[in-house]
């Protein structure tokens, strides 16, 4: 089945902490590697922005499992489209935290695709979210 990319955002449960994020990532890396899903999970200002890429059916199943997770709420699918090739092939999942302490290079990247230099994906278009994460991936994998 054709490769697809899904982009969604959601809101963290109040009180979600670093150990919750660590557990989510440990589980994601293992589960995604088993089914050929790759992607990136950004977290800042209590908002998650995630890209999942892989087989359409598998990405669907993964998303629906994630959407039921009580560690976040109100998930909104921003985009679900066929793709020619993966963009995040190096990562079964990678967490990038984007709080107010991010380095200047990341702040500039946030500003490039937003109307302000604070992470606010709910104000961004799906294309801006994708380009933002694509450049973030390039920045982090070339570093
Ligand atoms: P288990 O880990 O055994 O979990 C069983 C059930 O308990 C699931 O319904 C799970 O949601 C829930 N659960 C487990 N721990 C907690 C907890 N501490 N608090 C509340 N509920 C809990 N999973 C992936 O496989 N790939 C991803 O890319 C991915 N991204 C995620 C992104 C976000 C923002 C969040 C919040 C979760 C993400 N997860 C991801 C985790 C996913 O929601 C499931 O928890 C996980 O896939 C279930 O793994 P499992 O079937 O081995 O069940």
């Amino acid at each position: 089945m054709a490769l697809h990319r899904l982009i969604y955002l959601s809101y963290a449960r109040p009180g979600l902490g670093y150990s919750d994020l660590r557990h989510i990532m440990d589980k994601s890396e293992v589960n995604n590697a088993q089914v050929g899903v790759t992607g990136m999970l950004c977290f800042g200002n209590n908002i998650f922005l995630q890209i999942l890429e892989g087989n359409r059916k598998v990405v669907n199943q993964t998303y629906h499992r994630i959407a039921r997770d009580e560690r976040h709420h109100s998930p909104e699918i921003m985009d679900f489209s066929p793709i020619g090739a993966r963009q995040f092939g190096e990562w079964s999942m990678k967490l990038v935290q984007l709080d107010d302490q991010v380095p200047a290079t990341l702040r500039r990247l946030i500003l490039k695709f937003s109307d302000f230099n604070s992470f606010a994906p709910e104000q961004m278009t799906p294309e801006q979210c994708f380009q933002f994460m694509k450049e973030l991936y390039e920045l982090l994998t070339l570093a």
Side-chain angles (χ1 to χ4, degrees):
M1 210 175 285
L3 269 182
H4 273 61
R5 176 173 62 230
L6 186 146
I7 305 176
Y8 78 89
L9 64 78
S10 65
Y11 300 85
R13 181 196 70 198
L16 190 95
Y18 181 74
S19 69
D20 296 303
L21 293 174
R22 209 45 271 160
H23 283 128
I24 290 168
M25 286 317 296
D26 289 347
K27 191 59 81 170
S28 301
E29 285 165 12
V30 172
N31 288 351
N32 294 354
Q34 281 171 354
V35 293
V37 167
T38 49
M40 180 191 279
L41 177 63
C42 294
F43 180 64
N45 298 325
N46 283 326
I47 299 184
F48 289 107
L49 175 67
Q50 188 171 28
I51 282 192
L52 301 165
E53 42 181 37
N55 171 288
R56 186 180 73 219
K57 189 170 186 172
V58 169
V59 168
N60 249 300
Q61 288 167 340
T62 303
Y63 170 74
H64 287 294
R65 193 173 67 245
I66 295 170
R68 287 195 299 272
D69 195 312
E70 292 179 359
R71 289 168 285 192
H72 65 162
H73 63 88
S74 312
E76 290 173 34
I77 294 177
M78 302 179 78
D79 186 42
F80 187 35
S81 308
I83 52 173
R86 292 173 194 267
Q87 177 60 48
F88 302 90
E90 295 285 314
W91 296 336
S92 59
M93 193 47 59
K94 169 85 170 180
L95 174 68
V96 182
Q97 288 191 256
L98 297 164
D99 53 28
D100 287 340
Q101 312 301 322
V102 294
T105 43
L106 288 193
R107 194 154 299 287
R108 278 197 293 276
L109 193 56
I110 293 170
L111 184 62
K112 180 173 177 182
F113 295 106
S114 318
D115 55 2
F116 193 60
N117 66 0
S118 178
F119 180 62
E122 77 283 15
Q123 312 278 356
M124 294 159 69
T125 65
E127 181 60 17
Q128 286 170 329
C129 288
F130 173 66
Q131 290 300 333
F132 169 69
M133 286 198 270
K134 177 173 178 284
E135 291 199 23
L136 194 48
Y137 174 85
E138 287 163 358
L139 198 69
L140 296 174
T141 50
L142 289 178

